[in-house]
Amino acid sequence: MTDDYCSMITSWFTNEFQEGFVSSSGNGVIRYSFKKGGTGQGTIIIVPGRTEFLEKYMELCWDLRELDHSICIYDHLGQGKSDRQLKDRQKGHITDFKIYVSDLEHIIQSVVLPAQTGPVTILGHSMGATISVLASQSGRQRISGLVLVSPMFQINAGKFLPPLWVEFISNAACMTGGGSGYVWGGGPYNTESRFDNNPLTTDADRFRRNNELVRQNMDLALGSPTYGWLQQAYRAMRQVRRRADAGHCPTIILRTIDERVVGLKEMEAYCHGATDCRLVTYERCQHELLMERDEIRDDLLDRVRQFLA
């Protein structure tokens, strides 16, 4: 991933995508970028994970350009260049996960559908996959397919901290007025994050590039989540797992067996309970499969293109 390659993609993205802002149900505005494709080709909506921002997915948009679909990507409320719910922009916070779902639905209604009559497919990563499934389960939008990359159906807090304990701690913190505080051990964005043994990617160039994007524009920086975000995340994940059979659109889950960020068995259980779901597992890679080495990304992208065809 050379600097020339990154510059070419950035220039293409800047020329091809139109940036705009829409209101969020959680107050404030959220930023999006949209590229119109061929008539009737459909739309791909990219729903990023926690801490992520649309610049991080410029390469993915470039890789999908040959499909001639419209492409829409946006920053969640509280992330990227969208507004925050707290004065401290570094805190990853949300008062209700329903805000994320409502914002995705608003993007579909106000940005995507007025410009495109074809099918709508959502590609969600991690937290974005949780939001995507909740939008599908609501039945309020006509979603033709879900591509879920490392979906956050459970958070991996380590073998010594079971999920029920994590949820209990977050609930207790929120009940005692600490919902807007960083989770234990958390803090602002670490500008000196190291590649060695990181849980996100085995690709050193993409790891470096994504961190450089933040260092160049600290408005994109986001630190650890708050107890409030964690409480809402556990409620949302439970709803996703309990209502797996409510999502009837074709779904593909792409994951790694070496996952250290989110739970694996919950993905299997969801896929087993869903009406039309396929599970694909990779090895020797980490959580951010879309930011992985070329041999992983190339196979994953081929599967995404086949799913969209």
Side-chain angles (χ1 to χ4, degrees):
M1 195 175 188
T2 65
D3 290 341
D4 287 344
Y5 175 68
C6 293
S7 296
M8 177 192 67
I9 290 175
T10 301
S11 177
W12 170 83
F13 187 90
T14 302
N15 291 329
E16 294 289 331
F17 281 73
Q18 181 177 354
E19 184 174 300
F21 292 85
V22 296
S23 60
S24 167
S25 63
N27 294 324
V29 296
I30 53 177
R31 176 181 66 146
Y32 72 87
S33 280
F34 182 77
K35 173 186 177 296
K36 189 167 176 21
T39 302
Q41 289 295 99
T43 301
I44 305 163
I45 303 176
I46 300 171
V47 186
R50 202 194 79 80
T51 79
E52 296 185 319
F53 44 90
L54 64 84
E55 286 88 350
K56 187 173 178 178
Y57 286 89
M58 290 189 295
E59 185 184 17
L60 175 62
C61 295
W62 168 262
D63 291 325
L64 297 176
R65 71 193 186 285
E66 64 195 51
L67 295 173
D68 200 27
H69 281 53
S70 295
I71 301 175
C72 184
I73 181 169
Y74 67 101
D75 292 338
H76 297 295
L77 184 70
Q79 297 187 189
K81 292 186 179 179
S82 293
D83 285 341
R84 306 292 200 263
Q85 289 195 311
L86 299 177
K87 290 183 179 179
D88 186 346
R89 290 183 59 85
Q90 289 280 330
K91 290 182 175 180
H93 184 74
I94 199 73
T95 54
D96 195 324
F97 243 68
K98 292 178 183 177
I99 293 170
Y100 291 140
V101 180
S102 177
D103 287 350
L104 171 55
E105 293 175 340
H106 185 43
I107 287 283
I108 294 173
Q109 289 294 327
S110 64
V111 178
V112 172
L113 294 184
Q116 182 60 266
T117 58
V120 173
T121 302
I122 300 179
L123 189 159
H125 171 247
S126 195
M127 181 186 85
T130 311
I131 297 164
S132 303
V133 171
L134 289 171
S136 174
Q137 289 177 345
S138 76
R140 291 188 293 268
Q141 304 296 324
R142 296 185 62 181
I143 298 170
S144 300
L146 292 174
V147 178
L148 308 178
V149 183
S150 305
M152 188 188 78
F153 296 158
Q154 184 61 275
I155 296 172
N156 185 0
K159 61 182 178 180
F160 300 113
L161 200 57
L164 285 176
W165 274 103
V166 178
E167 189 170 8
F168 173 81
I169 293 168
S170 64
N171 286 337
C174 291
M175 289 178 63
T176 55
S180 62
Y182 283 120
V183 297
W184 60 93
Y189 176 82
N190 179 12
T191 57
E192 303 299 325
S193 57
R194 297 175 59 85
F195 172 72
D196 297 343
N197 199 37
N198 82 86
L200 302 179
T201 177
T202 65
D203 188 289
D205 288 338
R206 290 188 173 93
F207 181 88
R208 175 191 60 82
R209 171 63 176 169
N210 291 331
N211 281 280
E212 186 62 27
L213 284 170
V214 178
R215 283 192 288 267
Q216 291 172 358
N217 187 344
M218 288 302 292
D219 280 346
L220 300 174
L222 191 67
S224 305
T226 64
Y227 283 108
W229 180 92
L230 195 61
Q231 179 192 58
Q232 290 299 313
Y234 271 91
R235 291 177 179 177
M237 292 185 297
R238 184 183 301 109
Q239 180 178 335
V240 165
R241 297 194 302 268
R242 286 178 175 175
R243 301 188 64 226
D245 60 348
H248 298 294
C249 64
T251 301
I252 183 170
I253 294 178
L254 303 149
R255 65 172 189 169
T256 171
I257 197 67
D258 303 309
E259 178 68 68
R260 289 186 281 166
V261 177
V262 296
L264 286 174
K265 69 177 187 291
E266 289 79 10
M267 300 181 204
E268 296 171 1
Y270 176 86
C271 209
H272 179 74
T275 304
D276 182 1
C277 182
R278 184 158 55 95
L279 186 67
V280 178
T281 303
Y282 294 92
E283 297 178 350
R284 296 184 294 278
C285 51
Q286 294 297 326
H287 179 66
E288 293 185 352
L289 292 174
L290 292 162
M291 309 295 157
E292 265 294 349
R293 307 183 315 274
D294 286 345
E295 57 264 37
I296 301 295
R297 285 188 85 253
D298 289 348
D299 184 83
L300 184 149
L301 289 167
D302 283 344
R303 294 178 186 274
V304 171
R305 293 184 189 106
Q306 292 169 14
F307 184 84
L308 291 166

